[in-house]
Every structure is written in structure tokens, then in C-alpha cells.
Amino acid sequence: QSLQIRFQQFAFTIWQYSLLELVCNLAMATAAPVKDLRTRIREAFDVFDREGKAVCDVREIGTIIRSLNVNPSEKQLQKWIHEIEEEEPTGFIRYEKFESLMLRVLGEEAQQHLRDTEDKIMKAFQILDKEGKGYIDGEEFSRMMSENGEKFSQEEISEMVAHAVDVKTGRIYYEDYAELLANN
């Protein structure tokens, strides 16, 4: 049973990243020329470079990377952050270092962090839907997102729920939603 719980947690984490991709809504083109990649990286970074000084808060790096459609594990994300932090960490990441990392990640390592298939997303939903109803209650989903796997902030959860929940029933009907997540 312990293995089943661990698998459920793993599947749930995969599903969380897929939802975050939808919310971030920035597409990555792995075959795009380097100039286009640089533009996408710069645009994503600039959203969080509030003072225009080519630096952003280290806590925003995960969001920026995920907005570029790359879904690292928390462990991989921490490895990348450590790689681009200054020798004496300041709490900020310089754009030059971030761009260098992302060009490498989007090029060489992109295949390891691709968007999940519709089947994987469906399986994750089905694991959460223990009764096989074809939906998950929106409130229950919010609770799971804040307590299981890699936890999201209340703001992130609210955004995801706003996109996922049927307003009339308060439920997430996941068959259509899985297709949307996989193809969007």
C-alpha cells in the first residue's frame, strides 16, 4: 500500500505541473531558432524583473521556468537555482545566468521535461477519483493542491480552480480537462 500512495503522490505532482502550464499559458517551441528562444526567455523573465535591472527574486525562478513549458522536479529546480546563484547568494538571479541556463535546458534537456500526454493526465485524475465518478469536487481539489505533492500557494490554486471547475456544479470534469491540458 505504501508503494500505491507514493505512486499517487507522484502522479499528483505530474498533474500539478500540467495545471500550472495551463495557468502560465506560455508556449515553448523547442525547434525555434535561438533568437526566438532568447526572446521567449527574456519576456518570461521580464514579467518578474519589476525594476528593470535584469534581476529577479530567486523565489520566482520556478514560476518563470514553468511558464516556458519546462516542468522540473523540485529537486531539479533547486539544482538549477544553485547553479545560477551568485557565489554569495543575494536572493536575486541575474538575467545573463538565467538565460544561459534556459538556453541549455530548452535545447539539450527539453526532452526530459516535456508536457505530459493526455493519458498521463487522465491517469493522474483517475487516481484522485477513487470512486470513478468522472469528476473531482473543486473544494476537494483545492485541499489536495495545498496539502499533497508539491504544494501551491492559495493564489495559484485559485487561478487553477477558476480554469478547471464547472461553475454550475463546482466539479472538475476531468476527461475534457485532461485533453485541454495536454493540447493547450
Side-chain angles (χ1 to χ4, degrees):
Q1 186 176 4
S2 166
L3 183 59
Q4 182 182 12
I5 291 170
R6 288 180 56 201
F7 176 74
Q8 288 174 342
Q9 290 171 337
F10 174 73
F12 190 73
T13 299
I14 289 171
W15 184 62
Q16 286 177 319
Y17 283 125
S18 295
L19 287 173
L20 188 58
E21 287 174 351
L22 177 68
V23 173
C24 292
N25 200 19
L26 288 174
M28 177 200 81
T30 57
V34 172
K35 183 177 180 182
D36 289 346
L37 284 178
R38 287 182 194 276
T39 300
R40 288 180 186 277
I41 294 166
R42 173 55 88 173
E43 288 173 353
F45 190 90
D46 284 351
V47 170
F48 295 93
D49 181 12
R50 291 175 176 82
E51 295 180 19
K53 295 182 178 181
V55 297
C56 77
D57 190 309
V58 70
R59 295 171 293 187
E60 304 291 356
I61 294 299
T63 302
I64 298 169
I65 290 173
R66 290 181 188 104
S67 77
L68 291 166
N69 204 22
V70 176
N71 299 308
S73 66
E74 191 60 31
K75 183 177 180 179
Q76 180 64 57
L77 177 61
Q78 292 308 313
K79 178 183 169 200
W80 288 341
I81 288 172
H82 181 72
E83 186 178 320
I84 60 176
E85 274 185 314
E86 300 296 323
E87 285 184 33
E88 295 287 327
T90 62
F92 293 92
I93 301 295
R94 291 184 308 125
Y95 175 74
E96 296 78 29
K97 288 187 172 193
F98 179 76
E99 181 189 60
S100 176
L101 169 74
M102 290 314 300
L103 285 172
R104 188 185 82 231
V105 167
L106 293 172
E108 302 168 5
E109 300 176 11
Q111 295 303 313
Q112 296 174 25
H113 308 284
L114 289 177
R115 178 184 305 263
D116 291 318
T117 66
E118 184 177 344
D119 288 340
K120 276 186 175 179
I121 297 169
M122 277 295 294
K123 286 177 184 172
F125 272 113
Q126 289 167 343
I127 288 169
L128 299 174
D129 179 17
K130 292 173 179 51
E131 297 169 14
K133 300 176 288 193
Y135 65 85
I136 297 171
D137 180 70
E139 289 180 16
E140 176 67 9
F141 168 75
S142 294
R143 186 191 61 72
M144 287 186 288
M145 294 293 286
S146 64
E147 296 175 2
N148 299 309
E150 295 192 31
K151 295 160 187 63
F152 286 99
S153 71
Q154 190 56 46
E155 183 180 325
E156 290 170 321
I157 293 169
S158 296
E159 261 186 83
M160 286 183 260
V161 168
H163 287 89
V165 172
D166 179 292
V167 292
K168 292 180 183 175
T169 64
R171 298 174 176 162
I172 299 171
Y173 294 95
Y174 57 80
E175 187 171 331
D176 293 332
Y177 196 58
E179 180 181 356
L180 178 68
L181 289 172
N183 296 320
N184 192 6

